[in-house]
């Protein structure tokens, strides 16, 4: 085994731990934000918040699965949301398990699952909210951007 192969294995394990840690941090963040009523769920609802009060957005999660990969309108919305997030220094990640995200954010008043394609974690400008999971995810996004992964994908932990 060469030194490069050895370091490659080490990086793979380190990367796997990083992704698992980010998945756990995202789950913790979403649960804490939901408990504080700091979540905005849905593509259109998120677009409204970004338009009215962009400074309140602390983090963005975009979710898709195989069923929606060919949805052109959704992909256009994602592109616009990503551009807005980049322009306003908002960290953004992708999650490929929309059902798990929908379970985390809960149902609406009628009991129907919410549209979890876009989830914003907000923080009031007057009283900024600090959360260790948000800090971990910010570091994860920064490290991902350093290797040109502009919108990193995160896998949520199994339940």
């Amino acid at each position: 085994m060469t030194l490069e192969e050895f370091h490659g294995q080490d990086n793979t394990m380190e990367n796997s731990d990083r992704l698992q840690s980010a998945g756990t941090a995202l789950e913790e963040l979403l649960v804490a934000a939901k408990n504080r009523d700091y979540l905005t769920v849905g593509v259109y609802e998120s677009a409204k918040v970004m338009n009215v009060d962009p400074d309140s957005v602390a983090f963005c999660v975009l979710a898709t699965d195989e069923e929606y990969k060919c949805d052109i309108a959704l992909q256009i919305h994602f592109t616009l949301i990503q551009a807005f997030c980049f322009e306003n220094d908002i960290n953004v990640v992708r999650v490929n398990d929309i059902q798990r995200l929908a379970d985390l954010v809960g149902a609406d008043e009628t009991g129907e699952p919410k549209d979890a394609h876009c989830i914003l974690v907000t923080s009031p400008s007057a009283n900024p909210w600090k959360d260790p999971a948000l800090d971990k995810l910010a570091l994860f996004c920064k490290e991902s951007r350093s290797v040109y992964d502009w919108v990193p994908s995160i896998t949520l932990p199994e339940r």
Side-chain angles (χ1 to χ4, degrees):
M1 178 178 285
T2 66
L3 185 60
E4 289 81 13
E5 290 171 336
F6 179 76
H7 283 296
Q9 285 180 343
D10 201 29
N11 284 343
T12 302
M13 284 188 259
E14 184 179 300
N15 196 26
S16 175
D17 291 343
R18 231 177 105 242
L19 289 173
Q20 187 175 13
S21 176
T24 302
L26 179 59
E27 183 177 19
E28 291 170 4
L29 176 67
L30 292 174
V31 169
K34 179 182 175 188
N35 291 339
R36 292 179 172 259
D37 199 27
Y38 287 173
L39 283 184
T40 301
V41 181
V43 173
Y44 297 108
E45 293 81 358
S46 297
K48 287 181 207 172
V49 169
M50 289 177 168
N51 188 38
V52 173
D53 190 10
D55 293 335
S56 71
V57 180
F59 198 78
C60 178
V61 180
L62 299 176
T64 190
D65 56 14
E66 290 301 318
E67 181 181 343
Y68 294 99
K69 284 206 183 224
C70 295
D71 186 338
I72 301 300
L74 184 62
Q75 297 307 319
I76 291 170
H77 282 40
F78 280 1
T79 301
L80 294 172
I81 290 168
Q82 287 173 19
F84 181 88
C85 289
F86 294 151
E87 183 76 22
N88 291 282
D89 295 323
I90 299 167
N91 290 314
V92 58
V93 296
R94 277 196 183 256
V95 174
N96 291 327
D97 190 351
I98 193 164
Q99 184 58 47
R100 179 87 170 88
L101 274 177
D103 292 344
L104 282 172
V105 298
D108 63 14
E109 300 80 32
T110 65
E112 291 292 315
K114 292 182 180 178
D115 170 23
H117 286 106
C118 182
I119 301 171
L120 297 181
V121 176
T122 57
S123 178
S125 301
N127 185 14
W129 176 51
K130 288 293 180 191
D131 186 82
L134 184 59
D135 294 337
K136 285 180 190 175
L137 288 166
L139 179 61
F140 174 78
C141 289
K142 182 179 178 182
E143 289 172 351
S144 296
R145 284 190 301 270
S146 73
V147 293
Y148 304 108
D149 186 6
W150 302 108
V151 183
S153 291
I154 292 180
T155 302
L156 293 168
E158 295 293 322
R159 291 287 158 192

